[in-house]
Amino acid sequence: MSASKPAAAAATLVVSAFSHPTDWHSIHWRQVHRRVRGLQVRIAEATKNQQWRRVKQLQRLLVRSFAARALAVKRVTENRGKRTAGVDGAIWSTPDTKWQAIGRLTRTGYRPQPLRRVYIPKSNGKRRPLGIPTMHDRAMQALYLLALEPVAETTGDLNSYGFRPHRSTADAIAQCRNALSRKLQGPWVLEGDIKGFFDNISHDWILRHVPLDRQVLRKWLASGYMEKGRLFATTAGTPQGGIISPVIANMVLDGLETRLAALCQTRADILALRIKYVRYADDFIVTGSSKELLETRVKPLIEAFMAERGVELSAEKTLITHIDDGFDFLGKNLRKYKGKLLIKPSKKNVKAFLSKVSDELKRYRMAPAWQVVMRLNPMIRGWVNYHRHGSSSQTFSYVDHRLWHMLWRWAKRRHSNKPRRWIAQKYFGQQRGRKWVFFGTPPDGKTLFLVQANQTTIKWHAKIRSEANPYDPKFEQYFEKRQLERLKENRLWTSKLKLIWEKQQRRCPLCGEPFRDNDDWDLHHIIYRTRGGGDESTNLVMLHPNCHRQYHAKTDSKEAGVYVK
């Protein structure tokens, strides 16, 4: 998976591509990203200046460009749903189908097909409906999303953190800490819950207020869905499963923060009311100085705001709580103990995680210990990394204790006729001074130990600046620095990977795009291993998966000039 020429000190791969591509592997992705990004920046600037006619013109220019259409196809053929088909059963898995798809992404004659309705389980035992578009409809949504996202990021609420680039649940929780940790902050919290949000959003409101091609938008909203061979119409809501749906949903709720801020006209109002707002997707909280304020002024304002958009608050789940009693938000419990705010994993979240581990152990009851370790370690790391930005040490120790008991019962069940000492010696060993650590030994002989949750370093998350916009050039360096810090914290990165990554200036040498913390990447051998190349850092290059495939397609067909310098 490599080229044949030797590596120099600073390895950089260059693959020539046609200025007018003739197939999928001849697309110059570096130029594609630059052209799309340039238009998006112009759209954001026009939005900031409220030049809506210019926004519409630039959006039209973007969705008709070859670069945007190619990038849309690339996105839907590289994400996690790339092998999930819609009602037509089609997937784009070959370079030829991807290339042909680019030419089909046109507004003229476009008619979306119904969604394929499936159901996914929720934590409360109920099922959430999910609508799966066809690959063609997904690509069209990805194309128009490129034009809509700069507008959404420029006009969005400052403290909205769900389904937005460079923002996460950790940012939302950090803002909750800012809003609740100090003594002078509002001690009362309104926990907002919207009843059937995605299913009830008004189509008329979306068509009037979302700045996108109305003809295409109307077709998506009215496309309907297929379930058990029957076609059902959609008269309200946006489908959960569409690429563009989260951004539209965010825009529906944008503006609530501004209306809440309007309650505080003067500095005296700000000090007296102490209203703060934090939202992640359709979950939000509002803090205030008193319960009466939240009940008589804030809640009616929110209900009126929601009614304009065709949705309403859930009477059962919308609660007003004092911070000393605590509340759950995004899988965490926030509560003040003797005036000090502590943020810990919620009991419900811990119970759900341990239940998931228990289910996995039942599935792997006859598997060797090393397979159990390989299955559980990613689960533990993912859960721990989500909760490590808080006061989670005691909870991590409790989880380790529960996991140990689960694994001890698993081992005893496998060897019911063996003494305890024999079981302990076979499955539990010592690692870095810690005893009774579950382990397994795969065929290669390298012992694998179970990850210990309480060995995770607790570190507060540095919240993103509320006004930061990824489509504003003045924040470019800020986002680069922030992305660099997040990648350095990734425990999956070894010193060798970091060395390669730094040598490439933290970018893919083929497309020129930076590696982000949620990106996939491949390791490419400059000299084939079959030709004597090794795994040393001077013979390895990090590439995006699509760039890696393009590189091999060109070199194998001898159509590209390939060199290392």
Side-chain angles (χ1 to χ4, degrees):
M1 316 167 175
S2 11
S4 57
K5 297 196 175 183
T12 302
L13 294 177
V14 177
V15 179
S16 65
F18 301 114
S19 57
H20 300 288
T22 57
D23 57 38
W24 179 256
H25 288 309
S26 64
I27 298 173
H28 197 308
W29 291 109
R30 189 186 297 261
Q31 290 181 0
V32 162
H33 283 286
R34 284 180 179 174
R35 289 172 182 170
V36 171
R37 185 71 176 182
L39 283 170
Q40 288 179 318
V41 169
R42 291 168 64 187
I43 291 172
E45 182 181 4
T47 303
K48 186 177 180 181
N49 297 328
Q50 296 188 351
Q51 299 172 333
W52 300 112
R53 186 184 297 273
R54 180 164 175 77
V55 168
K56 186 175 181 180
Q57 292 172 344
L58 290 170
Q59 286 182 328
R60 187 185 301 114
L61 181 62
L62 177 63
V63 298
R64 292 180 178 181
S65 69
F66 172 84
R69 288 184 287 129
L71 207 56
V73 174
K74 181 174 182 285
R75 173 170 179 171
V76 300
T77 55
E78 286 194 349
N79 60 17
R80 294 182 179 179
K82 61 185 178 183
R83 294 187 178 89
T84 304
V87 294
D88 61 354
I91 58 173
W92 300 338
S93 56
T94 66
D96 286 341
T97 55
K98 296 175 187 178
W99 176 252
Q100 293 169 9
I102 295 175
R104 292 168 52 204
L105 296 186
T106 59
R107 178 179 182 271
T108 305
Y110 172 62
R111 186 175 181 179
Q113 297 189 56
L115 306 173
R116 180 166 69 90
R117 174 66 64 93
V118 297
Y119 291 89
I120 57 176
K122 298 172 65 175
S123 57
N124 59 6
K126 296 182 180 180
R127 298 191 304 165
R128 174 182 287 112
L130 192 68
I132 301 177
T134 63
M135 291 294 291
H136 184 227
D137 293 335
R138 260 177 272 175
M140 284 292 286
Q141 290 188 20
L143 175 62
Y144 279 85
L145 177 60
L146 292 172
L148 181 62
E149 196 168 61
V151 180
E153 286 301 302
T154 306
T155 60
D157 286 343
L158 296 179
N159 289 302
S160 164
Y161 299 96
F163 302 110
R164 295 180 63 182
H166 303 284
R167 300 193 178 208
S168 64
T169 53
D171 293 305
I173 294 298
Q175 179 60 22
C176 290
R177 187 175 75 248
N178 294 343
L180 293 164
S181 60
R182 298 170 188 169
K183 291 183 179 179
L184 296 179
Q185 302 288 9
W188 289 91
V189 181
L190 184 149
E191 307 169 54
D193 187 275
I194 305 174
K195 186 177 181 180
F197 174 63
F198 282 91
D199 297 329
N200 296 304
I201 303 173
S202 168
H203 284 182
D204 291 337
W205 191 95
I206 292 175
L207 292 170
R208 288 198 310 268
H209 295 90
V210 174
L212 199 65
D213 188 315
R214 285 196 179 93
Q215 181 177 335
V216 175
L217 190 55
R218 184 180 291 106
K219 289 179 179 179
W220 283 334
L221 295 174
S223 61
Y225 63 90
M226 295 290 295
E227 184 176 7
K228 296 180 180 179
R230 294 179 58 194
L231 176 63
F232 294 86
T234 50
T235 57
T238 60
Q240 297 185 60
I243 289 177
I244 204 171
S245 294
V247 176
I248 293 176
N250 268 334
M251 297 186 77
V252 169
L253 294 178
D254 284 337
L256 179 56
E257 186 170 17
T258 303
R259 291 203 188 180
L260 291 169
L263 295 174
C264 305
Q265 297 290 344
T266 65
R267 181 170 178 81
D269 290 337
I270 295 174
L271 295 175
L273 303 182
R274 305 176 197 173
I275 293 176
K276 298 288 184 180
Y277 169 79
V278 184
R279 176 167 66 86
Y280 186 90
D282 59 332
D283 295 323
F284 64 91
I285 66 164
V286 182
T287 68
S289 58
S290 69
K291 185 175 183 180
E292 182 184 3
L293 167 70
L294 296 178
E295 285 181 338
T296 61
R297 298 183 64 184
V298 171
K299 189 175 179 181
L301 183 150
I302 295 173
E303 288 174 339
F305 178 88
M306 297 297 173
E308 295 173 7
R309 290 147 176 81
V311 294
E312 61 181 354
L313 293 177
S314 170
E316 300 81 15
K317 297 182 180 179
T318 299
L319 308 173
I320 298 178
T321 313
H322 196 279
I323 188 59
D324 289 345
D325 297 325
F327 66 96
D328 291 347
F329 185 58
L330 301 178
K332 299 176 185 287
N333 179 262
L334 295 86
R335 182 179 176 184
K336 274 191 175 181
Y337 298 83
K338 297 181 180 180
K340 183 178 180 180
L341 180 69
L342 297 184
I343 302 174
K344 302 183 289 186
S346 68
K347 291 182 179 179
K348 182 179 178 181
N349 186 272
V350 173
K351 184 179 179 180
F353 172 70
L354 292 175
S355 176
K356 184 178 179 181
V357 172
S358 178
D359 291 342
E360 288 300 315
L361 288 176
K362 290 176 182 177
R363 289 181 55 202
Y364 282 75
R365 59 167 59 95
M366 299 306 296
W370 63 271
Q371 288 187 4
V372 174
V373 173
M374 290 186 68
R375 178 59 182 166
L376 294 187
N377 275 354
M379 294 171 58
I380 299 171
R381 284 195 188 99
W383 185 82
V384 166
N385 286 337
Y386 181 80
H387 290 289
R388 68 190 178 100
H389 305 298
S391 308
S392 307
S393 297
Q394 289 185 354
T395 307
F396 287 170
S397 296
Y398 168 75
V399 166
D400 280 339
H401 174 73
R402 289 289 306 275
L403 290 177
W404 186 90
H405 276 281
M406 288 182 188
L407 291 165
W408 179 257
R409 289 196 300 270
W410 176 89
K412 284 184 65 178
R413 189 182 300 113
R414 287 174 62 93
H415 306 283
S416 56
N417 60 340
K418 295 290 184 180
R420 294 186 176 185
R421 183 181 296 273
W422 184 92
I423 295 174
Q425 291 177 347
K426 181 174 178 62
Y427 292 109
F428 297 89
Q430 183 171 336
Q431 181 193 32
R432 299 173 185 171
R434 294 177 59 84
K435 299 180 180 179
W436 291 94
V437 181
F438 187 80
F439 73 91
T441 306
D444 62 9
K446 184 178 179 180
T447 303
L448 300 176
F449 286 93
L450 190 75
V451 169
Q452 301 295 293
N454 65 1
Q455 294 297 293
T456 301
T457 302
I458 303 297
K459 182 179 179 181
W460 288 109
H461 176 75
K463 190 186 83 71
I464 191 172
R465 288 164 60 180
S466 298
E467 71 278 9
N469 183 347
Y471 298 101
D472 189 335
K474 73 178 182 181
F475 290 107
E476 187 72 21
Q477 291 185 346
Y478 169 75
F479 280 111
E480 285 184 353
K481 182 178 179 181
R482 186 174 176 83
Q483 189 65 38
L484 176 63
E485 293 302 320
R486 292 191 66 177
L487 282 172
K488 284 182 176 179
E489 291 179 3
N490 192 330
R491 290 191 170 190
L492 298 178
W493 284 55
T494 64
S495 57
K496 181 190 289 187
L497 289 174
K498 287 183 179 179
L499 177 63
I500 298 168
W501 177 62
E502 292 283 359
K503 191 183 297 182
Q504 298 176 192
Q505 299 180 342
R506 305 182 290 275
R507 294 175 178 270
C508 173
L510 294 191
C511 69
E513 287 296 296
F515 288 103
R516 307 193 187 281
D517 57 331
N518 57 348
D519 281 352
D520 289 332
W521 44 266
D522 292 343
L523 275 180
H524 173 86
H525 288 76
I526 298 171
I527 301 177
Y528 279 43
R529 280 178 291 185
T530 55
R531 299 175 184 171
D535 291 330
E536 60 275 7
S537 61
T538 54
N539 193 47
L540 293 173
V541 179
M542 292 178 63
L543 302 174
H544 287 122
N546 185 72
C547 297
H548 198 189
R549 290 191 292 270
Q550 182 187 40
Y551 180 83
H552 279 290
K554 303 305 294 181
T555 54
D556 293 346
S557 62
K558 299 181 180 180
E559 291 178 1
V562 183
Y563 63 92
V564 180
K565 63 178 181 181

